[in-house]
Amino acid sequence: MTEHEHVRVAVIGSGFGGLGAAVRLRREGITDFVVLERAGAVGGTWRDNSYPGCACDVPSHLYSFSFAPNPDWPRTFSGQEHIQEYLEHVADTFRLRSHLRLNTEVKLMSWDADQLRWEIETSNGSYSADVVVSATGPLSDPKTPDIPGIDTFPGKVFHSARWDHDYDLRGKRVAMIGTGASAIQIVPEIQKRVGKLTLFQRTPPWVMPRADRAITGAERWLHKQLPFTTQARRGILWGIRELQVQAFTKRPNELGMVEQIAKRNMYRAIKDPALRAKLTPTYRIGCKRILLSNTYYPALAKPNVDVVASGLTEVRGNTVVAADGTETEVDAIIFGTGFHVTDMPIAERVVGDEGQTLMESWKGGMNALRGATAAGFPNWMTIIGPNTGLGNSSMILMIESQLNYMADYLRQLDVLRLPPGPRGTGGGRAALAARPDAVSAWNHRVQERMKRTVWNTGGCNSWYLDENGVNTTVWPGTTTEFRAATRRVDLSEYEVLRAPKPPEAAPDSRTEKVEAGA
């Protein structure tokens, strides 16, 4: 158990967001920070998701930090092990190890309005911090449906993000639940080993060909010798995706041509008309995340695979039962059912200035000013916050934009700090609290833009939507627009909280609120 430690900044999580925040802090000259990580290694979702076939669906040179280019990516679309290796390399290259507090799970973060700081309870001691940067990410806590009878299933059960590598699937009868990004990578890998694979599909995905290949030695040599070629490659990949955004956000009907490509991808592998019918989506492509695979459809056509076009509703002993009544005996159940994206568990552990949790504050739907700060939670920021997700490009672009915002936020706090009062009391402490009207105005603008996007009009029910049917996940614009919106902190959108004044100056020691810019 560690002693209590006070730091200027506490970063929660060590995936792309957390490591990116740590690198940016050091580049800003800030070394008084810790990165609190519940696991024993960095990597976030790329550490946790080690299932067979796990890989990224964004090209390698775009799915990496602009400030840490990797000229040595082995494939155009990297596998999980390559991305995890890259993140370990970032931690070493930018000297982040001394800031890491591994095996340290955050249990509670509470705002102390008198001291203007966050009190943090962890599984390995307590901390306090002037600012908290929450980088836990939306893909950190697996979501497993509550299926009647699952607790009495005598076989093996696990989620794709908690893969049991000790369990031998060879010859087993396996039920794969879900048809999202993880499932379409898992299915082709385990189909070769299992005796029988039954895929439970509530909604078929649109699957496009995956243009993956090994990056040649000549290409890698060129990128090492001429670093600007790596940046040029990244720029081209980024530009192509920026040009595609209009179809997703303003003209969804233009995506019909893309649907034809996806259908041809399916027809090449699936010859059975009945199976084709099961696998053909009825919603506009892009409404759910477009998936990439050259092996998913061929695997489904194999004789040891059955597709049940219905969700799992019950488990009776070794028998799994679908909503359409289909019954199948299995030895193992694998859930590829996604994550707590619109109801992130970390929100239950954040207590704001009026004693409410972030989860309670977001009970009507997640919202944050510029995807970063929430009303009622001073000096608390989130990386990959509400409406910062992307449907067609790299999240690293959005993360780096939020790091710009974080850096300016800290600069503004430096400017706002007061000199110490008599006998060292008082000054030196300030906080920024997002104004509720500013948060509301930002969220209103985002949701108005969302109305015409494919994610809201495409006719599907995706994980982008919360329980109220509101899209609190995706950014309805280009990454260029988001970068412009997060380049600087607009102080008119915040209240400035000052530290208590010395008793001689003001007997009332309550925190003083000052209108920003006053």
Side-chain angles (χ1 to χ4, degrees):
M1 183 70 74
T2 63
E3 297 295 326
H4 180 91
E5 181 180 356
H6 179 78
V7 292
R8 184 177 178 192
V9 182
V11 179
I12 317 300
S14 68
F16 267 101
L19 293 182
V23 171
R24 188 58 184 268
L25 289 172
R26 286 192 63 95
R27 296 179 78 181
E28 292 289 319
I30 299 171
T31 57
D32 183 16
F33 70 90
V34 292
V35 179
L36 305 177
E37 169 55 59
R38 65 184 177 185
V42 303
T45 192
W46 295 106
R47 174 198 60 234
D48 295 342
N49 285 269
S50 60
Y51 59 78
C54 183
C56 190
D57 59 1
V58 175
S60 304
H61 288 89
L62 193 58
Y63 199 78
S64 47
F65 292 120
S66 63
F67 53 78
N70 179 14
D72 211 29
W73 288 115
R75 301 195 67 83
T76 52
F77 289 87
S78 294
Q80 175 265 340
E81 67 277 15
H82 303 130
I83 298 173
Q84 177 65 15
E85 181 181 331
Y86 171 77
L87 290 171
E88 295 280 1
H89 175 72
V90 168
D92 291 330
T93 300
F94 291 93
R95 295 179 293 168
L96 304 181
R97 297 290 180 184
S98 63
H99 299 280
L100 293 173
R101 303 293 183 270
L102 302 177
N103 299 306
T104 302
E105 182 176 7
V106 171
K107 300 294 188 180
L108 185 67
M109 293 179 276
S110 304
W111 175 248
D112 185 330
D114 291 327
Q115 297 297 319
L116 292 187
R117 68 185 189 184
W118 285 92
E119 297 294 337
I120 306 169
E121 298 175 20
T122 80
S123 60
N124 193 29
S126 62
Y127 296 81
S128 58
D130 297 333
V131 176
V132 167
V133 178
S134 180
T136 57
L139 305 182
S140 57
D141 291 285
K143 189 173 187 177
T144 302
D146 186 14
I147 304 296
I150 191 70
D151 292 339
T152 60
F153 178 66
K156 192 69 178 178
V157 180
F158 54 87
H159 191 279
S160 59
R162 299 292 184 267
W163 196 269
D164 189 337
H165 291 278
D166 293 328
Y167 184 73
D168 190 355
L169 290 170
R170 284 179 296 183
K172 299 293 196 305
R173 300 168 299 175
V174 178
M176 181 77 223
I177 316 300
T179 52
S182 300
I184 72 155
Q185 294 180 343
I186 292 169
V187 165
E189 294 296 319
I190 67 174
Q191 175 271 323
K192 307 166 190 173
R193 288 182 267 161
V194 303
K196 184 72 174 180
L197 176 61
T198 304
L199 177 67
F200 285 77
Q201 168 195 273
R202 287 192 305 175
T203 309
W206 284 105
V207 183
M208 293 283 286
R210 182 182 180 87
D212 185 30
R213 65 171 178 83
I215 297 177
T216 66
E219 290 174 277
R220 292 154 76 175
W221 178 88
L222 182 65
H223 292 329
K224 289 176 184 176
Q225 299 303 313
L226 300 173
F228 76 87
T229 61
T230 305
Q231 295 294 351
R233 186 171 188 159
R234 176 188 175 88
I236 292 170
L237 292 167
W238 165 78
I240 292 171
R241 280 155 181 77
E242 286 290 272
L243 293 173
Q244 296 171 344
V245 171
Q246 295 289 332
F248 287 84
T249 59
K250 295 181 180 179
R251 297 187 290 272
N253 287 336
E254 292 182 358
L255 292 166
M257 247 193 311
V258 184
E259 289 182 4
Q260 295 307 311
I261 298 173
K263 285 181 179 179
R264 284 198 295 271
N265 183 43
M266 177 175 65
Y267 290 172
R268 278 194 294 267
I270 305 298
K271 305 304 180 184
D272 178 8
L275 183 54
R276 279 185 181 179
K278 287 182 181 180
L279 299 176
T280 302
T282 57
Y283 56 88
R284 174 63 75 195
I285 194 169
C287 185
K288 289 174 175 278
R289 188 172 182 91
I290 300 172
L291 307 181
L292 305 178
S293 177
N294 300 325
T295 55
Y296 178 64
Y297 288 136
L300 297 185
K302 298 296 183 182
N304 68 331
V305 178
D306 279 339
V307 176
V308 177
S310 187
L312 177 66
T313 58
E314 186 182 358
V315 177
R316 303 174 192 153
N318 276 102
T319 302
V320 289
V321 184
D324 65 0
T326 302
E327 297 186 6
T328 309
E329 286 195 1
V330 297
D331 304 305
I333 301 173
I334 302 172
F335 285 102
T337 46
F339 300 84
H340 288 277
V341 175
T342 60
D343 58 342
M344 293 186 288
I346 190 67
E348 295 180 319
R349 306 182 187 192
V350 185
V351 180
D353 60 2
E354 295 183 359
Q356 84 281 25
T357 67
L358 186 61
M359 185 72 80
E360 291 168 337
S361 177
W362 281 349
K363 63 184 177 182
M366 297 193 307
N367 59 85
L369 178 59
R370 302 181 188 273
T373 55
F377 299 83
N379 280 12
W380 182 90
M381 307 185 70
T382 181
I383 306 295
I384 317 184
N387 291 113
T388 61
L390 294 176
N392 75 311
S393 193
S394 172
M395 278 307 301
I396 312 306
L397 302 168
M398 302 296 278
I399 289 172
E400 290 195 23
S401 292
Q402 292 199 289
L403 298 183
N404 289 339
Y405 196 76
M406 176 197 76
D408 195 55
Y409 191 101
L410 293 168
R411 293 187 206 113
Q412 297 293 344
L413 285 178
D414 280 343
V415 172
L416 292 167
R417 285 184 178 185
L418 297 174
R423 297 185 299 279
T425 61
R429 299 197 302 277
L432 288 173
R435 296 169 57 89
D437 59 337
V439 177
S440 179
W442 170 262
N443 190 56
H444 177 74
R445 292 198 298 272
V446 168
Q447 293 305 324
E448 281 298 305
R449 293 184 64 180
M450 196 71 71
K451 288 179 179 178
R452 60 194 296 188
T453 67
V454 69
W455 307 301
N456 279 37
T457 65
C460 72
N461 182 23
S462 73
W463 56 267
Y464 298 148
L465 309 180
D466 66 14
E467 61 182 7
N468 301 311
V470 178
N471 192 327
T472 60
T473 306
V474 184
W475 168 245
T478 65
T479 62
T480 302
E481 290 175 297
F482 189 76
R483 176 152 294 202
T486 53
R487 192 174 300 280
R488 295 283 185 271
V489 170
D490 181 355
L491 283 180
S492 69
E493 296 179 328
Y494 289 88
E495 284 182 324
V496 178
L497 308 182
R498 301 291 192 189
K501 294 180 179 178
E504 296 87 347
D508 185 357
S509 64
R510 291 175 299 176
T511 298
E512 175 189 0
K513 291 187 177 181
V514 182
E515 293 293 328

